[in-house]
Amino acid sequence: MKNYKKYFRLTADPADVYNALTNPIMLEIWTGEDVVMEEKAGTEFSLWDGSICGKNLEFVKDHKLVQEWYFGEQDEPSIVTIKLHKDGEGTSMEVVHTNIPDDAYDNIVEGWKEDYFDALNQLFEE
């Protein structure tokens, strides 16, 4: 199992980034895929038409999102924590992803860069 931590800089306010990460309509706009998302702890979510599934664990409006991502049978849950920090005119998005299966690590790291950051960046640059 591996862990991942990275900061991404976005040109939008933390409230706008939080909305893009938690609002199902906004998620569908920037992912281009069907999603299931409810801003409520304990609910199941699905992104990219089921490519990423898990459980929402915690929401702190405009500041933090914590999710468990499912990778099949695991002894330790894979937890994603996204913290949004005001950074000048934009947001620093801190991503911490723990207990990533070794065989999925490279794909997950690429996904954080391309599927999350690049897509969010495009959403806010327009």
Side-chain angles (χ1 to χ4, degrees), residues 21-118:
L21 293 170
T22 59
N23 180 318
I25 295 167
M26 289 301 298
L27 278 161
E28 286 185 1
I29 288 171
W30 67 266
T31 65
E33 301 279 348
D34 289 337
V35 305
V36 174
M37 172 64 78
E38 185 179 354
E39 188 184 346
K40 183 177 173 188
T43 59
E44 301 276 321
F45 73 90
S46 172
L47 305 174
W48 282 277
D49 201 22
S51 294
I52 298 172
C53 297
K55 183 187 291 185
N56 291 310
L57 302 178
E58 181 183 359
F59 293 93
V60 179
K61 186 139 182 79
D62 302 338
H63 296 289
K64 183 176 169 184
L65 167 63
V66 182
Q67 298 175 319
E68 177 182 348
W69 285 21
Y70 300 153
F71 287 98
E73 295 298 315
Q74 282 188 227
D75 293 333
E76 297 289 325
S78 182
I79 303 297
V80 169
T81 303
I82 299 174
K83 293 181 182 177
L84 306 173
H85 309 281
K86 183 74 176 152
D87 184 6
E89 295 296 312
T91 299
S92 174
M93 182 174 80
E94 175 188 351
V95 175
V96 176
H97 192 165
T98 63
N99 296 321
I100 303 167
D102 292 343
D103 61 346
Y105 184 81
D106 291 340
N107 189 39
I108 291 294
V109 169
E110 182 179 305
W112 280 115
K113 162 89 174 69
E114 293 178 8
D115 297 330
Y116 267 82
F117 175 69
D118 289 350

